[in-house]
C-alpha cells in the first residue's frame, strides 16, 4: 500500500511546468521614460514641394525667353542670311540661318507638317515643365534651375515656329573650315544646359534627398 508521502510526491511531479518564452525580443532604444523601436529612429526626410515658390523659376524662364527673342531680333536686323560675320577667329561667327526641323535640322525637309508636330511637342513639354516645377522638391535648387532653363528654351523656339514657321539660329561655332557645329541660338543653349543640370541632379543629388536621417 503506497504511503501518503509517495502519493503527494507523485502528484507534485505531474504538475505542468511554466514555459519560458525564448523568442527574440524586438530591439528598442530607450529615450527618456519610454522605449522607441530603432527602426523609427531612421526617418525618411519629408519632401516639401516648390508650390507657390515655383513663380521665381517661371521668372527665370521668362528672362531666357526675352533674351532669346531679343538676340534673334538683332540677328535678323543686322545679319544677312548665310553671310558669316567673324567674332572670334577661327572659332566663332554670327551666321543667320533658319531651321525648319528639330535639333541638327532633323526633318527640316519634311514638307511643312513638321512645324505643327514640333510646335505641339514643345507646347506639351512646356505645360509639363510648368506643372513639374510646382511639384519639384523645394530644396532641389539645381533641378528647378535646369527645368526653368529647359522651359525658357522650349518656349523661345516655340514662339519662332508659331510666328515664322522656322527657328532663327545665328551662333556658329567652328574650327576654320575643317569642322562646323550646327548653328544654334540662345534657346538651344538654355535647353542644353538645363538638361545637363537635370542629369547631374538625377545622378548625384536625388538619392541624397531620399536618404533616411539617422
Amino acid at each position: 500500500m503506497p504511503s501518503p508521502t509517495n502519493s503527494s510526491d507523485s502528484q507534485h511531479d505531474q504538475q505542468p511546468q511554466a514555459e519560458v518564452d525564448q523568442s527574440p525580443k524586438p530591439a528598442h532604444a530607450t529615450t527618456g521614460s519610454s522605449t522607441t523601436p530603432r527602426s523609427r529612429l531612421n526617418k525618411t526626410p519629408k519632401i516639401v514641394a516648390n508650390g507657390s515658390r515655383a513663380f521665381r523659376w517661371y521668372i527665370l524662364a521668362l528672362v531666357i525667353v526675352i533674351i532669346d527673342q531679343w538676340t534673334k531680333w538683332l540677328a535678323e536686323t543686322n545679319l544677312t542670311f548665310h553671310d558669316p560675320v567673324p567674332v572670334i577667329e577661327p572659332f566663332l561667327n554670327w551666321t543667320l540661318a533658319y531651321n525648319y526641323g528639330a535639333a541638327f535640322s532633323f526633318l527640316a525637309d519634311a514638307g511643312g507638317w513638321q512645324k505643327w508636330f514640333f510646335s505641339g511637342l514643345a507646347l506639351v513639354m512646356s505645360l509639363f515643365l510648368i506643372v513639374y516645377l510646382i511639384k519639384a522638391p523645394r530644396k532641389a535648387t539645381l533641378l528647378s534651375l535646369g527645368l526653368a532653363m529647359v522651359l525658357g528654351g522650349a518656349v523661345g523656339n516655340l514662339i519662332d515656329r508659331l510666328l515664322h514657321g522656322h527657328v532663327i539660329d545665328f551662333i556658329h561655332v567652328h574650327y576654320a573650315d575643317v569642322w562646323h557645329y550646327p548653328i544654334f541660338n540662345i534657346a538651344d543653349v538654355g535647353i542644353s544646359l538645363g538638361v545637363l543640370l537635370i542629369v547631374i541632379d538625377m545622378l548625384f543629388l536625388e538619392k541624397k534627398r531620399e536618404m533616411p536621417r539617422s
Side-chain angles (χ1 to χ4, degrees), residues 104-172:
F104 305 106
S105 297
F106 176 65
L107 292 179
D109 300 324
W113 61 266
Q114 73 275 23
K115 167 189 172 181
W116 302 109
F117 174 76
F118 290 122
S119 296
L121 192 62
L123 179 60
V124 171
M125 180 185 297
S126 300
L127 294 175
F128 169 78
L129 292 172
I130 290 173
V131 175
Y132 192 55
L133 272 169
I134 298 176
K135 298 181 178 181
R138 184 174 298 179
K139 291 186 177 181
T141 304
L142 198 67
L143 173 62
S144 296
L145 176 60
L147 293 172
M149 295 182 72
V150 174
L151 175 61
V155 172
N157 283 338
L158 174 61
I159 293 174
D160 280 14
R161 295 186 189 281
L162 296 178
L163 292 181
H164 311 293
H166 56 258
V167 175
I168 301 171
D169 295 323
F170 62 93
I171 304 174
H172 183 197

